[in-house]
Amino acid sequence: TEHSKGCGVIRLTEGIDVTSTTGHNYALRSVQHDYVRLWASMPCIGGGPWNMKNYAEGGPKTRRKIEAHWAEFFKIWHNFVEVAETCLNSHQGNVVCIEWPTKCAYWGLPMVQNFLQRHGFVQHHSHGCAYGLVGQSQHVGQPILKPWTVATTCHTDAKFLSKRCPGHKKHATCAGKETKLT
């Protein structure tokens, strides 16, 4: 966009394991600059509403799988906090954002709440369809409402991070293959 022209982007994806020493050190080096925006879209699968239901109703195999998602989240979160605090301490113009679906259970964890409060994050709520989110698999081209929350240390982000559904009459369901693609 016109707002990001000239900005460099460094993506830390599944290919760079941020829980490994190498990946973590790479992330730390990446944020030690001026005017960095660290955008964290950490995996949310363990905290999704369906996983809460599946954990309560599922068998031992299902529970182990969900517990593995939570264990992975805790590893990522621990490293993320160090990277985020390094980012914020590197320059007063740096910003940290965290994005998860609004109903993700991770938002309610005391360690997450304490981190957000300690650094003065504000939360903005939006709908995916307001940003052009559409189905890519089962519902190609149909708008997906998907409620998201972004917590940010930048108090002027509301203009960009608070869009709501513009009035679509029908939305595709965000489930199955569509979920990961969103």
Side-chain angles (χ1 to χ4, degrees), residues 54-69:
N54 292 340
Y55 191 88
E57 297 176 3
K61 183 178 177 184
T62 300
R63 288 190 176 135
R64 280 192 304 275
K65 186 175 182 181
I66 294 168
E67 288 165 359
H69 290 307

Side-chain angles (χ1 to χ4, degrees), residues 29-79:
R29 285 190 309 274
S30 297
V31 299
Q32 293 182 45
H33 301 283
D34 296 353
Y35 301 104
V36 170
R37 180 175 288 258
L38 174 62
W39 184 280
S41 296
M42 292 171 268
C44 60
I45 190 166
W50 281 106
N51 270 331
M52 299 294 107
K53 180 178 169 51
N54 292 340
Y55 191 88
E57 297 176 3
K61 183 178 177 184
T62 300
R63 288 190 176 135
R64 280 192 304 275
K65 186 175 182 181
I66 294 168
E67 288 165 359
H69 290 307
W70 277 83
E72 182 71 8
F73 164 72
F74 287 122
K75 284 188 221 173
I76 292 171
W77 179 259
H78 174 76
N79 282 2

Side-chain angles (χ1 to χ4, degrees), residues 99-180:
E99 167 268 315
W100 283 313
T102 299
K103 293 186 180 182
C104 181
Y106 299 158
W107 286 119
L109 294 174
M111 65 184 186
V112 172
Q113 287 294 308
N114 290 337
F115 177 78
L116 297 177
Q117 290 171 5
R118 191 168 62 249
H119 294 289
F121 279 78
V122 290
Q123 291 187 349
H124 303 289
H125 306 284
S126 61
H127 295 146
C129 63
Y131 296 90
L133 180 64
V134 296
Q136 302 293 312
S137 182
Q138 300 114 304
H139 310 288
V140 175
Q142 294 179 28
I144 297 178
L145 182 76
K146 191 169 185 174
W148 264 302
T149 297
V150 176
T152 176
T153 58
C154 181
H155 295 257
T156 60
D157 277 349
K159 176 180 176 183
F160 304 104
L161 300 174
S162 297
K163 293 182 182 180
R164 300 297 182 125
C165 176
H168 299 116
K169 300 290 186 222
K170 185 178 176 187
H171 291 94
T173 304
C174 188
K177 291 178 184 177
E178 297 288 15
T179 304
K180 184 164 176 125

